[in-house]
Amino acid sequence: MDNNISELLSKEIKELMKNKFFFRTPSDIKILAYSVSYLLLILFGIFLNIEIVTAFLSVFPLTYVLGAKGLKYYIPLIASGGLILSLLASPNIITWFGIHMIISYVVYRTIYVRGSKVFLVVAVSSLIFLAVALYIFLSIRLGHITIDSKQILDFINSYVNSMAEMNQSVDKNLVLESFSNLQKSFPVTIFIVLFAYSLLLVQYTLSLLSREYVIIPVFPKFSRIMLSPRSGYIYIGVTLLTFLVEMETGSDTYSFWNILFQNLTGVLSLAFVLNGLFTAFFFIEQKSNSKIPIGKPVVFALMFIFSPIFELLGFVDSIFKLREGYIVMKRGR
């Protein structure tokens, strides 16, 4: 009888914690205070021209209100903020705050369904990257931003010629190649910056939510983070499409589709390089008895020198599940 009661209580507690957002029920005064603070942050961002900072700070109070009262408070609150933005702000500020409104919902849902912190950081950075890319694309299509490939090439050629006149030893072909490499690496650099921003945003927001007795996710060990086989197949598909687009566009390296697929390939390459690093961490942990193996800093440094090798290792691990296969093999012995 006692065992049955114990099992019943365990099931009830587990069910209660499954959809619980707060350890302690928030007060109505705090909910109102955070709602007002969210609207004030929007006004400060508009009038002080610090929309990046205020949008960053606004995710916490908006997530708190959403977790406390749900969509019935969240929707009117963001609608009020959207009205203020539409009357007083520029399209850039509206877009930036709109992105962070969605981020607050992503943070809320991740906590609600007990998602991992890694998933949250990746989701937030991908959301910002795609939203910014879409905004720029629409601005170009609508004529708000003008990009002329001929003007870009003329500017590059004039810059290279001026450098060659100033320094006769400069190799024009080498300088032109550096511009081509910059074209390929620039979006990846932007993604890294946005990833760092997202990591800081998630860490800051979750740390404040934890002080308000919110059940927050934590980071797993890096060696346990892995890409799914689907990611590998997507990488193969994007690489083939990039190759076909390059064949189609020929020498026009500044065509829209060429740049787009090069960007996608660059971001995916970075993901597989990191997956290869985490795979190396996993096998180092399996072979080392130390809690902080000295081999990890060395491997991390080698990643910057031999990134193609780590990319290949990450790709193979994604497709063939090297780490999972190793664990199964060890258990079978």
Side-chain angles (χ1 to χ4, degrees):
M1 183 69 178
D2 291 339
N3 289 335
N4 291 336
I5 294 175
S6 177
E7 290 177 4
L8 182 62
L9 288 173
S10 297
K11 289 180 180 179
E12 289 182 357
I13 292 172
K14 186 176 181 181
E15 189 64 27
L16 286 171
M17 291 299 294
K18 182 179 179 182
N19 296 325
K20 194 172 178 63
F21 193 83
F22 289 93
F23 282 116
R24 181 185 298 177
T25 304
S27 64
D28 291 335
I29 295 176
K30 274 196 172 183
I31 296 171
L32 178 61
Y34 283 132
S35 300
V36 173
S37 67
Y38 171 72
L39 298 176
L40 288 175
L41 283 170
I42 292 177
L43 291 172
F44 289 153
I46 295 171
F47 292 114
L48 300 179
N49 293 321
I50 52 172
E51 65 275 5
I52 294 178
V53 176
T54 50
F56 179 96
L57 299 175
S58 70
V59 175
F60 160 65
L62 189 56
T63 306
Y64 183 92
V65 174
L66 178 58
K69 291 296 185 178
L71 293 175
K72 64 180 180 180
Y73 272 62
Y74 170 79
I75 293 176
L77 186 57
I78 62 171
S80 302
L83 179 62
I84 295 172
L85 289 165
S86 63
L87 294 175
L88 303 174
S90 65
N92 292 341
I93 296 177
I94 294 172
T95 301
W96 191 244
F97 269 101
I99 292 171
H100 285 73
M101 290 176 187
I102 301 173
I103 288 173
S104 67
Y105 183 78
V106 172
V107 174
Y108 162 74
R109 287 300 305 176
T110 303
I111 295 173
Y112 192 83
V113 301
R114 300 293 179 264
S116 70
K117 198 171 184 179
V118 173
F119 167 80
L120 181 57
V121 173
V122 172
V124 170
S125 56
S126 300
L127 172 63
I128 297 175
F129 183 80
L130 292 174
V132 170
L134 179 61
Y135 177 71
I136 294 174
F137 174 76
L138 291 176
S139 298
I140 293 172
R141 287 295 185 186
L142 295 173
H144 301 303
I145 299 176
T146 304
I147 296 180
D148 190 335
S149 59
K150 186 177 182 301
Q151 290 181 353
I152 294 173
L153 291 173
D154 290 341
F155 170 78
I156 292 173
N157 290 328
S158 63
Y159 177 79
V160 172
N161 291 331
S162 63
M163 286 188 63
E165 291 176 0
M166 293 173 60
N167 189 350
Q168 298 294 330
S169 61
V170 172
D171 187 348
K172 289 185 177 182
N173 293 328
L174 186 61
V175 177
L176 289 172
E177 186 179 350
S178 68
F179 273 104
S180 179
N181 292 332
L182 178 63
Q183 169 194 319
K184 296 176 183 178
S185 62
F186 180 73
V188 179
T189 304
I190 293 297
F191 184 82
I192 293 173
V193 172
L194 292 178
F195 185 86
Y197 174 85
S198 302
L199 181 61
L200 183 62
L201 173 61
V202 169
Q203 183 62 33
Y204 172 79
T205 303
L206 293 183
S207 64
L208 290 185
L209 289 173
S210 66
R211 296 178 184 179
E212 298 295 342
Y213 303 98
V214 175
I215 306 170
I216 63 170
V218 296
F219 270 120
K221 294 180 68 175
F222 285 125
S223 59
R224 298 298 186 266
I225 302 172
M226 60 185 68
L227 294 176
S228 65
R230 183 182 299 176
S231 303
Y233 298 134
I234 292 174
Y235 184 46
I236 294 172
V238 171
T239 303
L240 291 174
L241 285 174
T242 303
F243 177 73
L244 293 174
V245 168
E246 288 179 350
M247 290 181 60
E248 184 69 23
T249 56
S251 60
D252 186 10
T253 57
Y254 291 94
S255 71
F256 171 77
W257 293 110
N258 195 0
I259 293 175
L260 174 64
F261 280 103
Q262 285 181 353
N263 295 349
L264 290 175
T265 304
V267 172
L268 286 172
S269 297
L270 176 63
F272 282 100
V273 168
L274 292 175
N275 194 57
L277 177 66
F278 299 153
T279 303
F281 281 177
F282 172 81
F283 286 106
I284 288 173
E285 290 176 1
Q286 298 300 315
K287 301 298 182 181
S288 175
N289 295 324
S290 173
K291 292 183 178 179
I292 308 177
I294 194 171
K296 284 187 177 181
V298 175
V299 170
F300 182 77
L302 290 174
M303 178 190 70
F304 295 96
I305 304 173
F306 303 105
S307 58
I309 296 176
F310 281 87
E311 182 180 349
L312 178 61
L313 176 61
F315 176 76
V316 172
D317 176 74
S318 170
I319 295 294
F320 299 103
K321 300 183 178 181
L322 294 180
R323 283 175 275 181
E324 290 185 12
Y326 181 83
I327 293 172
V328 172
M329 182 186 69
K330 291 288 288 184
R331 288 178 178 175
R333 288 183 177 179

PDB file of all heavy atoms in Angstrom, residues 280-290 293 326 329-330 333:
ATOM      1  N   ALA A 280      36.193  15.391 -30.654  1.00  0.00           N
ATOM      2  CA  ALA A 280      37.545  15.211 -30.117  1.00  0.00           C
ATOM      3  C   ALA A 280      37.532  15.291 -28.594  1.00  0.00           C
ATOM      4  O   ALA A 280      38.206  14.498 -27.920  1.00  0.00           O
ATOM      5  CB  ALA A 280      38.470  16.272 -30.705  1.00  0.00           C
ATOM      6  N   PHE A 281      36.747  16.222 -28.037  1.00  0.00           N
ATOM      7  CA  PHE A 281      36.624  16.325 -26.577  1.00  0.00           C
ATOM      8  C   PHE A 281      36.103  15.017 -25.981  1.00  0.00           C
ATOM      9  O   PHE A 281      36.567  14.561 -24.930  1.00  0.00           O
ATOM     10  CB  PHE A 281      35.670  17.463 -26.214  1.00  0.00           C
ATOM     11  CG  PHE A 281      36.282  18.834 -26.299  1.00  0.00           C
ATOM     12  CD1 PHE A 281      35.520  19.971 -26.063  1.00  0.00           C
ATOM     13  CD2 PHE A 281      37.621  19.004 -26.612  1.00  0.00           C
ATOM     14  CE1 PHE A 281      36.075  21.233 -26.142  1.00  0.00           C
ATOM     15  CE2 PHE A 281      38.191  20.266 -26.702  1.00  0.00           C
ATOM     16  CZ  PHE A 281      37.408  21.379 -26.460  1.00  0.00           C
ATOM     17  N   PHE A 282      35.126  14.413 -26.668  1.00  0.00           N
ATOM     18  CA  PHE A 282      34.519  13.179 -26.177  1.00  0.00           C
ATOM     19  C   PHE A 282      35.557  12.067 -26.062  1.00  0.00           C
ATOM     20  O   PHE A 282      35.653  11.388 -25.023  1.00  0.00           O
ATOM     21  CB  PHE A 282      33.388  12.744 -27.113  1.00  0.00           C
ATOM     22  CG  PHE A 282      32.820  11.388 -26.822  1.00  0.00           C
ATOM     23  CD1 PHE A 282      31.883  11.218 -25.825  1.00  0.00           C
ATOM     24  CD2 PHE A 282      33.238  10.273 -27.536  1.00  0.00           C
ATOM     25  CE1 PHE A 282      31.364   9.956 -25.541  1.00  0.00           C
ATOM     26  CE2 PHE A 282      32.723   9.020 -27.264  1.00  0.00           C
ATOM     27  CZ  PHE A 282      31.789   8.855 -26.259  1.00  0.00           C
ATOM     28  N   PHE A 283      36.353  11.871 -27.105  1.00  0.00           N
ATOM     29  CA  PHE A 283      37.329  10.780 -27.078  1.00  0.00           C
ATOM     30  C   PHE A 283      38.493  11.079 -26.132  1.00  0.00           C
ATOM     31  O   PHE A 283      39.075  10.159 -25.561  1.00  0.00           O
ATOM     32  CB  PHE A 283      37.829  10.496 -28.496  1.00  0.00           C
ATOM     33  CG  PHE A 283      36.820   9.793 -29.352  1.00  0.00           C
ATOM     34  CD1 PHE A 283      36.140  10.471 -30.353  1.00  0.00           C
ATOM     35  CD2 PHE A 283      36.521   8.453 -29.136  1.00  0.00           C
ATOM     36  CE1 PHE A 283      35.184   9.824 -31.137  1.00  0.00           C
ATOM     37  CE2 PHE A 283      35.575   7.793 -29.914  1.00  0.00           C
ATOM     38  CZ  PHE A 283      34.900   8.477 -30.912  1.00  0.00           C
ATOM     39  N   ILE A 284      38.803  12.355 -25.948  1.00  0.00           N
ATOM     40  CA  ILE A 284      39.818  12.711 -24.952  1.00  0.00           C
ATOM     41  C   ILE A 284      39.326  12.339 -23.554  1.00  0.00           C
ATOM     42  O   ILE A 284      40.077  11.798 -22.739  1.00  0.00           O
ATOM     43  CB  ILE A 284      40.154  14.218 -25.031  1.00  0.00           C
ATOM     44  CG1 ILE A 284      40.950  14.516 -26.298  1.00  0.00           C
ATOM     45  CG2 ILE A 284      40.945  14.656 -23.802  1.00  0.00           C
ATOM     46  CD1 ILE A 284      41.168  15.994 -26.533  1.00  0.00           C
ATOM     47  N   GLU A 285      38.046  12.623 -23.273  1.00  0.00           N
ATOM     48  CA  GLU A 285      37.476  12.270 -21.971  1.00  0.00           C
ATOM     49  C   GLU A 285      37.452  10.759 -21.759  1.00  0.00           C
ATOM     50  O   GLU A 285      37.626  10.283 -20.635  1.00  0.00           O
ATOM     51  CB  GLU A 285      36.061  12.841 -21.849  1.00  0.00           C
ATOM     52  CG  GLU A 285      36.023  14.348 -21.735  1.00  0.00           C
ATOM     53  CD  GLU A 285      34.600  14.872 -21.724  1.00  0.00           C
ATOM     54  OE1 GLU A 285      33.663  14.043 -21.793  1.00  0.00           O
ATOM     55  OE2 GLU A 285      34.418  16.099 -21.665  1.00  0.00           O
ATOM     56  N   GLN A 286      37.229  10.008 -22.832  1.00  0.00           N
ATOM     57  CA  GLN A 286      37.183   8.554 -22.709  1.00  0.00           C
ATOM     58  C   GLN A 286      38.551   7.969 -22.399  1.00  0.00           C
ATOM     59  O   GLN A 286      38.649   6.939 -21.719  1.00  0.00           O
ATOM     60  CB  GLN A 286      36.651   7.930 -24.008  1.00  0.00           C
ATOM     61  CG  GLN A 286      35.235   8.339 -24.358  1.00  0.00           C
ATOM     62  CD  GLN A 286      34.220   7.965 -23.300  1.00  0.00           C
ATOM     63  OE1 GLN A 286      34.226   6.856 -22.769  1.00  0.00           O
ATOM     64  NE2 GLN A 286      33.357   8.908 -22.948  1.00  0.00           N
ATOM     65  N   LYS A 287      39.604   8.636 -22.862  1.00  0.00           N
ATOM     66  CA  LYS A 287      40.956   8.114 -22.676  1.00  0.00           C
ATOM     67  C   LYS A 287      41.682   8.725 -21.497  1.00  0.00           C
ATOM     68  O   LYS A 287      42.758   8.254 -21.119  1.00  0.00           O
ATOM     69  CB  LYS A 287      41.780   8.352 -23.950  1.00  0.00           C
ATOM     70  CG  LYS A 287      41.203   7.702 -25.204  1.00  0.00           C
ATOM     71  CD  LYS A 287      41.151   6.188 -25.078  1.00  0.00           C
ATOM     72  CE  LYS A 287      40.608   5.545 -26.357  1.00  0.00           C
ATOM     73  NZ  LYS A 287      40.532   4.064 -26.233  1.00  0.00           N
ATOM     74  N   SER A 288      41.115   9.782 -20.916  1.00  0.00           N
ATOM     75  CA  SER A 288      41.798  10.484 -19.826  1.00  0.00           C
ATOM     76  C   SER A 288      41.044  10.289 -18.529  1.00  0.00           C
ATOM     77  O   SER A 288      39.817  10.297 -18.495  1.00  0.00           O
ATOM     78  CB  SER A 288      41.913  11.971 -20.146  1.00  0.00           C
ATOM     79  OG  SER A 288      42.472  12.666 -19.067  1.00  0.00           O
ATOM     80  N   ASN A 289      41.798  10.146 -17.438  1.00  0.00           N
ATOM     81  CA  ASN A 289      41.200  10.004 -16.106  1.00  0.00           C
ATOM     82  C   ASN A 289      41.025  11.352 -15.419  1.00  0.00           C
ATOM     83  O   ASN A 289      40.350  11.466 -14.414  1.00  0.00           O
ATOM     84  CB  ASN A 289      42.066   9.103 -15.220  1.00  0.00           C
ATOM     85  CG  ASN A 289      42.112   7.677 -15.744  1.00  0.00           C
ATOM     86  OD1 ASN A 289      41.117   7.172 -16.263  1.00  0.00           O
ATOM     87  ND2 ASN A 289      43.262   7.019 -15.619  1.00  0.00           N
ATOM     88  N   SER A 290      41.679  12.389 -15.951  1.00  0.00           N
ATOM     89  CA  SER A 290      41.608  13.708 -15.336  1.00  0.00           C
ATOM     90  C   SER A 290      40.270  14.364 -15.643  1.00  0.00           C
ATOM     91  O   SER A 290      39.731  14.215 -16.738  1.00  0.00           O
ATOM     92  CB  SER A 290      42.751  14.591 -15.852  1.00  0.00           C
ATOM     93  OG  SER A 290      42.602  15.914 -15.382  1.00  0.00           O
ATOM     94  N   PRO A 293      41.144  17.428 -18.734  1.00  0.00           N
ATOM     95  CA  PRO A 293      42.270  16.921 -19.520  1.00  0.00           C
ATOM     96  C   PRO A 293      43.051  18.063 -20.149  1.00  0.00           C
ATOM     97  O   PRO A 293      42.485  19.016 -20.671  1.00  0.00           O
ATOM     98  CB  PRO A 293      41.596  16.055 -20.588  1.00  0.00           C
ATOM     99  CG  PRO A 293      40.202  15.838 -20.116  1.00  0.00           C
ATOM    100  CD  PRO A 293      39.851  16.998 -19.262  1.00  0.00           C
ATOM    101  N   TYR A 326      30.559   4.360 -30.328  1.00  0.00           N
ATOM    102  CA  TYR A 326      31.619   4.026 -29.373  1.00  0.00           C
ATOM    103  C   TYR A 326      31.024   3.631 -28.010  1.00  0.00           C
ATOM    104  O   TYR A 326      31.477   2.670 -27.380  1.00  0.00           O
ATOM    105  CB  TYR A 326      32.553   5.224 -29.204  1.00  0.00           C
ATOM    106  CG  TYR A 326      33.703   4.980 -28.256  1.00  0.00           C
ATOM    107  CD1 TYR A 326      34.863   4.335 -28.689  1.00  0.00           C
ATOM    108  CD2 TYR A 326      33.631   5.381 -26.927  1.00  0.00           C
ATOM    109  CE1 TYR A 326      35.915   4.106 -27.819  1.00  0.00           C
ATOM    110  CE2 TYR A 326      34.676   5.170 -26.053  1.00  0.00           C
ATOM    111  CZ  TYR A 326      35.814   4.525 -26.502  1.00  0.00           C
ATOM    112  OH  TYR A 326      36.854   4.290 -25.638  1.00  0.00           O
ATOM    113  N   MET A 329      29.548   0.192 -28.290  1.00  0.00           N
ATOM    114  CA  MET A 329      30.605  -0.803 -28.346  1.00  0.00           C
ATOM    115  C   MET A 329      31.220  -1.052 -26.972  1.00  0.00           C
ATOM    116  O   MET A 329      31.467  -2.198 -26.581  1.00  0.00           O
ATOM    117  CB  MET A 329      31.684  -0.345 -29.320  1.00  0.00           C
ATOM    118  CG  MET A 329      32.832  -1.335 -29.498  1.00  0.00           C
ATOM    119  SD  MET A 329      34.151  -0.665 -30.515  1.00  0.00           S
ATOM    120  CE  MET A 329      34.794   0.602 -29.400  1.00  0.00           C
ATOM    121  N   LYS A 330      31.408   0.019 -26.196  1.00  0.00           N
ATOM    122  CA  LYS A 330      31.991  -0.124 -24.863  1.00  0.00           C
ATOM    123  C   LYS A 330      31.061  -0.889 -23.928  1.00  0.00           C
ATOM    124  O   LYS A 330      31.507  -1.684 -23.089  1.00  0.00           O
ATOM    125  CB  LYS A 330      32.293   1.254 -24.277  1.00  0.00           C
ATOM    126  CG  LYS A 330      33.422   1.987 -24.973  1.00  0.00           C
ATOM    127  CD  LYS A 330      34.779   1.390 -24.663  1.00  0.00           C
ATOM    128  CE  LYS A 330      35.199   1.711 -23.235  1.00  0.00           C
ATOM    129  NZ  LYS A 330      36.563   1.213 -22.955  1.00  0.00           N
ATOM    130  N   ARG A 333      31.163  -4.699 -24.399  1.00  0.00           N
ATOM    131  CA  ARG A 333      32.335  -5.447 -23.974  1.00  0.00           C
ATOM    132  C   ARG A 333      32.224  -5.871 -22.518  1.00  0.00           C
ATOM    133  O   ARG A 333      31.636  -5.169 -21.704  1.00  0.00           O
ATOM    134  CB  ARG A 333      33.592  -4.582 -24.138  1.00  0.00           C
ATOM    135  CG  ARG A 333      33.960  -4.393 -25.601  1.00  0.00           C
ATOM    136  CD  ARG A 333      35.247  -3.590 -25.714  1.00  0.00           C
ATOM    137  NE  ARG A 333      35.654  -3.446 -27.117  1.00  0.00           N
ATOM    138  CZ  ARG A 333      36.729  -2.784 -27.488  1.00  0.00           C
ATOM    139  NH1 ARG A 333      37.495  -2.197 -26.588  1.00  0.00           N
ATOM    140  NH2 ARG A 333      37.028  -2.689 -28.772  1.00  0.00           N
TER     141      ARG A 333
END
